[in-house]
Amino acid sequence: MAENGFYNMGLLFLQAAVAAKKDLAARVDIRMIQSDLFDDTETIFREIEAFKPDMVGFSLFIWSQDLTRQLIRRCGQLAPRPVILCGGSALCGWESTFLAETPEADLVVKGQGEATFAALTDHFLNHADPWQTLDRIPGILFRTRGGTIRETPALNGNLSLDGLPSPYLNGAYRPVNRMMFETSRFCPFNCDYCSWSKQSGRQRGNAFSLAYVRRELKWGVAHRVRDNAFFDAALNYDTRRFIRFLTLLEDLPVNPDPGFASHYFFFLKTESLNRRQIQAIRDIRKACTLFLGMDHLSLGMSQSRGDRTGLENAVDLIKTLTANPSVHVMAGMIIGLPGDCPRYTAEVIETLARIPRLHLVVSLLSVNPGTVMHTRAGRHGLHYAGTGVPFLQESRDFSEDAIKSLLARIEYHIPSGRVELNTLRVPLSRIRNPEVIPVGVRKTLSPEDWVRVGVAGIENGDVKASGYYPPELYH
């Protein structure tokens, strides 16, 4: 159970795919293992070892690749040795390379995993020698007994998402303080630094019905879950569906407890916002946080749009949306995109950091395998970390000193409570060099207290830069 409110929603639906097949579910014991701590490999391994699984699966994210490989190597030494299965967004576009570089891994699932995971579970249960006929399972790469890597044809369609049992409604998972959702797995965008559209297959029909989403939201209200977070690539790519979604929120029943109120978080693509969408947001009465992707801003500033720049238009938009007291706005931007200018990037940070009721979340560019950005790294002069998260270190457009200067600028604004470097939450006891925390802040903390540390400023427990801590501690 994730006490910090974050958990892997994808793993819940893998469980649901097996639960949907009653004859299969009756013969399988599936356990989801997770931790609140991003680097807690020892605890997770001990749980795997104690469970003695026949198959162990890992869902990989960009930030967890090296940590997961540590677990995979250790699981490969277990006796009896489980089948080791991998998947997740971090592998999209370079599955074969990952499998070749990770000899302990046996299988990689490409793209969405529900149908393939259920098929693999059934296959290993019902075949005396499952490796002999594994090439019958579509959508996978696997290592043969001779050590070669084989890839099967792509899966022709995933399971119907509405046909999957809800892990909340069927009792498989009880969230502590936050419910996580996705209404659609379609991504209409094609960002060079991301592989999500490649993984999602750009299938517009790959969505949960809003009726399905409404049933889960009603369950959350009845069970007093306050925070509801939607992790679609962007909810507003389709205006008609987005307005139906906002209407759904408005029409949800209200918990009779006068001290209870639900809150809703979702991502929006700034370029997709139109007058109808903006008006619907201005009219909403439920408490919402909108995360606006503004990765284009620093580049846009150098390209005048008449007598107004992209930044000025963004400021006007933010002020329009925050005129509704029910709406809180977060803006997300990336430092280091090719073609951007450090001077303009700094101006964007300075301008947005001073807007009331706006919270700015800044991320350092991650040059992720499987993305166009990674393929073209040489063309753009991108140099990035070779271990851990592949954060940009310098490029043709951003020198190492320019990046350090921009990170320092973020740190300067953090005490205002309106700016942060994209963060991870860890207990103070996990930080190996707590002396970097300002003394006034450190005195208020116990070893068990959780702090937020900028992901570009922590490595193996060492905090590389100070200031990335809960802003309320500064006041």
Side-chain angles (χ1 to χ4, degrees), residues 235-236 238-251 266 268 272-288 290 317 320-327:
L235 271 166
N236 66 319
D238 181 322
T239 295
R240 182 178 178 185
R241 182 178 170 88
F242 177 61
I243 292 176
R244 287 176 57 209
F245 169 78
L246 294 182
T247 302
L248 179 159
L249 296 186
E250 288 290 282
D251 293 344
F266 42 90
L268 299 179
S272 297
L273 283 168
N274 56 38
R275 290 183 180 179
R276 288 184 61 199
Q277 293 184 14
I278 292 170
Q279 186 58 54
I281 293 170
R282 294 185 67 178
D283 291 342
I284 196 165
R285 293 167 294 176
K286 293 288 176 73
C288 295
L290 318 180
L317 172 64
T320 297
L321 297 178
T322 54
N324 181 342
S326 297
V327 173

Side-chain angles (χ1 to χ4, degrees), residues 281-427:
I281 293 170
R282 294 185 67 178
D283 291 342
I284 196 165
R285 293 167 294 176
K286 293 288 176 73
C288 295
T289 295
L290 318 180
F291 192 106
L292 303 180
M294 294 190 168
D295 307 329
H296 65 290
L297 270 185
S298 52
L299 179 62
M301 286 187 63
S302 64
Q303 300 170 353
S304 177
R305 302 178 182 180
D307 59 348
R308 300 175 64 79
T309 67
L311 180 57
E312 291 172 330
N313 290 331
V315 170
D316 287 348
L317 172 64
I318 291 165
K319 290 179 177 179
T320 297
L321 297 178
T322 54
N324 181 342
S326 297
V327 173
H328 178 72
V329 175
M330 300 177 73
M333 62 177 294
I334 296 175
I335 289 177
L337 288 171
D340 280 3
C341 169
R343 179 170 61 88
Y344 286 137
T345 301
E347 187 172 345
V348 172
I349 293 172
E350 290 298 318
T351 301
L352 298 184
R354 290 178 166 81
I355 300 178
R357 301 192 65 228
L358 173 71
H359 190 84
L360 176 64
V361 179
V362 185
S363 301
L364 188 58
L365 176 65
S366 177
V367 187
N368 304 329
T371 65
V372 173
M373 192 72 68
H374 187 271
T375 303
R376 298 178 180 173
R379 180 188 305 180
H380 299 301
L382 305 180
H383 298 277
Y384 51 90
T387 60
V389 181
F391 283 124
L392 181 70
Q393 296 174 329
E394 63 178 339
S395 71
R396 188 172 295 117
D397 299 301
F398 288 79
S399 68
E400 185 177 352
D401 286 343
I403 291 174
K404 289 180 179 178
S405 176
L406 289 167
L407 294 178
R409 191 176 295 270
I410 295 163
E411 187 172 346
Y412 171 81
H413 285 289
I414 284 172
S416 73
R418 294 202 297 268
V419 182
E420 70 176 71
L421 185 67
N422 201 5
T423 56
L424 292 169
R425 295 179 67 248
V426 294

